[in-house]
Amino acid sequence: MGHLALGTPLEWAEAKKNADQVRRWGIEQLLAIWRRAKGKERDALRWGDEVEYLVVAFDDERRKVKLSLRQADILAALAEDEALCKQGGCVPDLQLVKSNARAIPVFHPEFGRFMLEATPGKPWGIGFKDLLDVEPNMKWRRVIAKDHMEANEYPITLTTFPRLGTRDEFITPYYPPSGEVLRSQFLPDEIANPHIRFPTLAANIRARRGRKVEINVPVFRDEKTPTPFRDPTVDYDLHNWPEDDDVRNGAARVDHIYMDAMAFGMGSCCLQITFQAKNITEGRKLYDQLSPLGPIMLALTAATPIYKGFLADTDVRWNQISRAVDDRTKGELSEAPLEDDRWRVPKSRYASNSTYISQDPRLRNEYMDTNLVVDQDLKQRLMNGGMDDLLATHFAHLFIRDPIVIFAEDLEELDLNKTDHFENLQSTNWQHIRFKPPPPDKDTGWRVEFRPMEIQITDFENAAFSIFIVLVTRAILSFDLNFYIPIPLTTTNMETAHARDAVLSRQFHFRKDPLPPRPVKTNGTSTGSSTPARQPSRPATPTGPVEDEHTLMTVDEIINGQTVENGFPGLIPLVESYLNSMNVDVETRCELARYLDLIRKRASGQLWTGAKWIRHFVREHGEYGCDSVVSEGITYDLVKAVEEITQNEGKGQFGGDMLRSGSTTNPRGSGCG
């Protein structure tokens, strides 16, 4: 999360009146960026990772664990640490952070007061040695964070807290639910970061929508789960706010876990990777080629099988966050006639990508989303300003949204040396891949943000997935790989990734052959090299039916390759071919192999996903009643086990199924698993 601006926020009624002005000024700022930076070149790729933590507090005497709302205190303690200050500081929201040779990690606030975000102190470089520094740096971040917490507090990397929103006291300090901003049955306003941007964002999404957000996750049906399942935490007799009528009007669906506030989504942790390309052309290529990989990596990192004290019949967080920030009106959702709204909008602000933007001759019109909604007036303004059709379409699609948080001071004068109005729309379109222009005040290039991955329990896992996707980008650029499939299939794949144990139980649409045509010798024979051949400088435009270019594959086939003749080669074999071509030293190659081995075995099922391990832990717990309920006692033991795994990485009592081949879990307790 970037620096948080201050100002006088407009309530939705006033913000709506100024939405067109913000959009127009945002487009003018974008054009100013375009003119300044379209020819910007960087020496080489740089990249960075973002790790998000939940801060939990244990009460061992009572066998309870709660979310700690001490984000501000922890950040203040970090900023006031004299030793850290001498090294340059690490909390840019509270102090001037100076770069130095050691580059200590940097900490940021997040939406939830129980969350922290940590990034490396400086971007990672292209060198393979940098890749080997990622895991130690992640471990260092966690140590620094823990050192500035209370003795009973720990930074853990679970996607969501299992009992967020239950009727017991799941936060410390405790606040009652149903405040003016969130108006939630289950969460207090105090659970969110008090910076004015966050409560305004939550309140204005609710006001624009005309009701609270509706998050319904299918419940996991176990032997004794009630049929039908009606979420027992829902109070149908609550009358604190007009929006309390939502549940009486059907907001809480049968056989689903119901949640009603932005914090249920934006209170989730994830692992994000941002790449700086050497120029805009490379950035646009990465944006396109990474897009079809998003659902695969979402399924492979699945880690979210519990919501609000119940086992869910899904394994990942994506749709829950999507619904938590969905500001679409009934008209935009096609639930009512269009009145004040301009068009039907098929997706939430938080959704999978709907555009391709690379000027690649292999990009076919048939790959595009035929239902894409675009503001044609803003698109024309961009094109009049010199932007090409593809990129203008991309941004004009993002700008169909309304700006949610508008500060009155920002409406006084348009400043083309700033990006506030552009970022107002850009930063609240949370797509699974984000294309980021260079900021005007920094020596930064064109960037691509890879956003779908779930956070993992250990730093080893988070480093492995970070390093893997970095190596995939290197293979894409080195071998000019082609992963294009029609955008609607990626949308479908994102839904498929939510299925329980999708990594093993589902198939995904994927391109059959990512390799460019191999060079042919003058005698008509191929070069015979085992390394994918480099594409000629301008690849040929493909012909033939698009449906012949892709097929359904398992995650194992996509990651490890198909065994049939001329089958998909597999992402790991492609990465290994890239490493072979770079003559990496043996020691570094062996270290990288540890990370690739985790990815390989997660895809094959030899190692479990976090979601599978968590679900198994709950179902084998002695207190589990085979009824989908994750009790306080189970949650305490689960989070304790997570902390043990964080320290021992599967070499202790827990987590071997996720981290060590051949490990077996000893069943215990209820036996309904």
Side-chain angles (χ1 to χ4, degrees):
M1 179 168 294
H3 181 73
L4 299 175
L6 293 171
T8 307
L10 302 183
E11 293 186 0
W12 176 243
E14 286 301 310
K16 183 177 180 179
K17 297 175 185 177
N18 292 279
D20 283 336
Q21 178 182 336
V22 172
R23 275 190 290 265
R24 290 194 307 271
W25 283 10
I27 290 295
E28 295 306 316
Q29 288 179 337
L30 173 59
L31 281 172
I33 298 169
W34 167 257
R35 295 186 192 106
R36 285 192 299 262
K38 61 183 177 181
K40 191 180 185 76
E41 296 279 346
R42 302 297 304 170
D43 292 332
L45 171 136
R46 294 196 298 176
W47 66 279
D49 67 87
E50 299 175 21
V51 173
E52 294 169 343
Y53 306 96
L54 301 177
V55 181
V56 297
F58 288 107
D59 181 345
D60 293 328
E61 288 187 9
R62 300 171 62 203
R63 289 189 66 248
K64 293 181 182 293
V65 61
K66 301 177 183 180
L67 288 169
S68 171
L69 303 188
R70 291 197 331 106
Q71 176 194 90
D73 297 329
I74 295 166
L75 290 172
L78 286 162
E80 293 165 5
D81 186 311
E82 291 186 6
L84 294 178
C85 289
K86 288 179 181 178
Q87 298 179 67
C90 63
V91 188
D93 285 83
L94 299 178
Q95 62 189 153
L96 178 63
V97 173
K98 301 175 182 178
S99 60
N100 60 74
R102 197 174 183 208
I104 61 173
V106 174
F107 294 86
H108 306 271
E110 261 295 344
F111 179 88
R113 285 175 61 193
F114 50 85
M115 302 171 71
L116 289 176
E117 177 189 295
T119 60
K122 63 180 180 180
W124 301 114
I126 185 60
F128 292 105
K129 294 296 185 182
D130 274 24
L131 297 180
L132 303 187
D133 289 337
V134 173
E135 182 184 354
N137 188 276
M138 288 181 173
K139 292 180 184 296
W140 188 23
R141 291 177 229 173
R142 198 186 296 257
V143 168
I144 292 174
K146 172 62 183 129
D147 286 347
H148 294 81
M149 296 179 183
E150 300 289 349
N152 68 326
E153 292 177 332
Y154 292 85
I156 63 168
T157 42
L158 282 178
T159 314
T160 60
F161 185 70
R163 291 186 62 81
L164 177 68
T166 55
R167 290 301 182 187
D168 52 68
E169 295 185 12
F170 57 87
I171 53 174
T172 180
Y174 174 75
Y175 297 93
S178 199
E180 183 176 2
V181 174
L182 296 179
R183 302 190 180 183
S184 171
Q185 283 203 14
F186 314 107
L187 303 177
D189 287 353
E190 290 84 359
I191 205 165
N193 187 317
H195 186 284
I196 193 62
R197 179 178 186 269
F198 296 110
T200 304
L201 186 64
N204 283 1
I205 284 176
R206 174 176 47 74
R208 187 188 188 282
R209 179 182 168 85
R211 50 188 167 163
K212 290 189 290 187
V213 295
E214 294 177 11
I215 310 165
N216 283 282
V217 185
V219 72
F220 171 73
R221 187 160 297 286
D222 214 331
E223 296 172 12
K224 298 180 182 178
T225 305
T227 302
F229 174 85
R230 291 184 171 85
D231 189 334
T233 66
V234 176
D235 185 350
Y236 289 90
D237 296 320
L238 199 64
H239 294 275
N240 292 341
W241 307 101
E243 292 86 352
D244 290 332
D245 286 341
D246 289 357
V247 293
R248 290 183 283 276
N249 294 329
R253 294 166 57 185
V254 174
D255 293 328
H256 286 71
I257 307 157
Y258 171 69
M259 293 163 282
D260 65 351
M262 182 176 171
F264 282 110
M266 287 303 191
S268 304
C269 297
C270 68
L271 172 67
Q272 295 178 180
I273 313 295
T274 300
F275 303 97
Q276 178 182 262
K278 69 178 182 181
N279 54 35
I280 189 173
T281 301
E282 185 175 277
R284 291 170 75 163
K285 175 179 283 190
L286 283 178
Y287 175 90
D288 282 12
Q289 297 303 326
L290 288 173
S291 184
L293 303 183
I296 313 308
M297 298 307 295
L298 177 60
L300 195 57
T301 57
T304 319
I306 304 174
Y307 278 98
K308 218 179 67 173
F310 299 103
L311 285 174
D313 204 32
T314 58
D315 270 4
V316 299
R317 78 199 187 286
W318 189 267
N319 280 347
Q320 284 65 266
I321 307 179
S322 175
R323 293 164 186 148
V325 295
D326 192 352
D327 68 337
R328 288 175 296 171
T329 65
K330 288 186 176 182
E332 290 168 332
L333 285 163
S334 301
E335 296 176 355
L338 280 174
E339 294 177 354
D340 298 331
D341 305 304
R342 297 184 291 171
W343 34 55
R344 310 286 189 190
V345 181
K347 293 181 179 180
S348 167
R349 305 177 79 105
Y350 197 113
S352 59
N353 289 20
S354 296
T355 58
Y356 286 132
I357 62 175
S358 178
Q359 293 175 307
D360 187 330
R362 300 172 299 184
L363 175 56
R364 306 175 64 171
N365 287 332
E366 296 95 321
Y367 301 155
M368 298 304 196
D369 187 350
T370 57
N371 295 318
L372 187 71
V373 181
V374 174
D375 188 317
Q376 294 295 341
D377 292 338
L378 297 182
K379 176 182 174 179
Q380 190 60 53
R381 174 68 190 105
L382 290 170
M383 294 182 68
N384 290 345
M387 191 175 289
D388 60 90
D389 181 87
L390 276 172
L391 202 55
T393 298
H394 168 77
F395 286 115
H397 166 64
L398 300 185
F399 273 58
I400 67 171
R401 310 289 177 176
D402 280 335
I404 299 298
V405 180
I406 300 176
F407 293 113
E409 293 82 357
D410 293 337
L411 298 174
E412 296 172 2
E413 183 179 3
L414 172 60
D415 187 345
L416 295 180
N417 292 313
K418 295 173 64 176
T419 60
D420 50 342
H421 299 294
F422 168 69
E423 288 295 341
N424 196 325
L425 276 301
Q426 163 89 349
S427 66
T428 56
N429 273 275
W430 296 279
Q431 298 189 323
H432 82 281
I433 313 290
R434 181 180 279 163
F435 185 64
K436 304 173 74 172
D441 57 343
K442 295 181 181 179
D443 185 25
T444 304
W446 295 88
R447 292 152 298 152
V448 176
E449 190 175 59
F450 190 77
R451 301 171 46 80
M453 293 191 292
E454 307 246 292
I455 197 73
Q456 305 295 288
I457 291 175
T458 69
D459 298 308
F460 168 69
E461 295 166 276
N462 288 316
F465 282 105
S466 300
I467 290 166
F468 175 63
I469 202 67
V470 170
L471 291 174
V472 168
T473 65
R474 298 301 87 198
I476 287 171
L477 296 175
S478 181
F479 300 141
D480 206 12
L481 300 178
N482 177 9
F483 294 123
Y484 277 125
I485 59 173
I487 287 171
L489 295 184
T490 296
T491 303
T492 298
N493 283 346
M494 287 294 282
E495 293 300 315
T496 302
H498 285 73
R500 179 160 40 94
D501 211 18
V503 70
L504 297 179
S505 67
R506 294 294 189 270
Q507 291 183 308
F508 296 78
H509 299 280
F510 212 73
R511 191 175 186 88
K512 295 177 183 177
D513 184 6
L515 299 174
R518 292 184 179 276
V520 176
K521 291 184 177 180
T522 54
N523 63 4
T525 61
S526 99
T527 61
S529 170
S530 63
T531 300
R534 292 180 183 272
Q535 177 81 348
S537 59
R538 187 167 179 80
T541 301
T543 58
V546 168
E547 49 272 20
D548 290 346
E549 298 176 354
H550 56 82
T551 190
L552 287 167
M553 301 184 202
T554 64
V555 171
D556 186 26
E557 290 173 323
I558 294 168
I559 297 296
N560 295 318
Q562 295 177 314
T563 57
V564 298
E565 186 177 358
N566 297 320
F568 184 76
L571 296 181
I572 285 184
L574 287 169
V575 163
E576 289 176 330
S577 290
Y578 165 70
L579 293 173
N580 289 340
S581 73
M582 298 301 291
N583 297 317
V584 182
D585 67 85
V586 173
E587 182 181 355
T588 300
R589 190 68 184 267
C590 289
E591 286 297 309
L592 293 177
R594 295 173 51 240
Y595 301 121
L596 295 180
D597 195 51
L598 176 76
I599 310 299
R600 179 184 290 112
K601 290 176 179 176
R602 284 280 174 90
S604 70
Q606 289 175 265
L607 293 176
W608 293 1
T609 63
K612 184 172 183 176
W613 180 84
I614 292 169
R615 190 183 301 277
H616 184 272
F617 182 96
V618 170
R619 298 187 73 207
E620 291 297 328
H621 194 281
E623 292 183 18
Y624 182 62
C626 304
D627 54 1
S628 309
V629 175
V630 183
S631 67
E632 283 188 276
I634 295 173
T635 299
Y636 172 83
D637 288 340
L638 172 62
V639 179
K640 274 288 186 182
V642 165
E643 176 57 22
E644 192 266 358
I645 294 169
T646 300
Q647 300 300 321
N648 297 321
E649 297 187 336
K651 298 174 185 176
Q653 182 179 359
F654 302 106
D657 307 277
M658 292 185 291
L659 295 160
R660 293 187 295 116
S661 295
S663 174
T664 56
T665 298
N666 295 319
R668 64 189 189 288
S670 70
C672 60

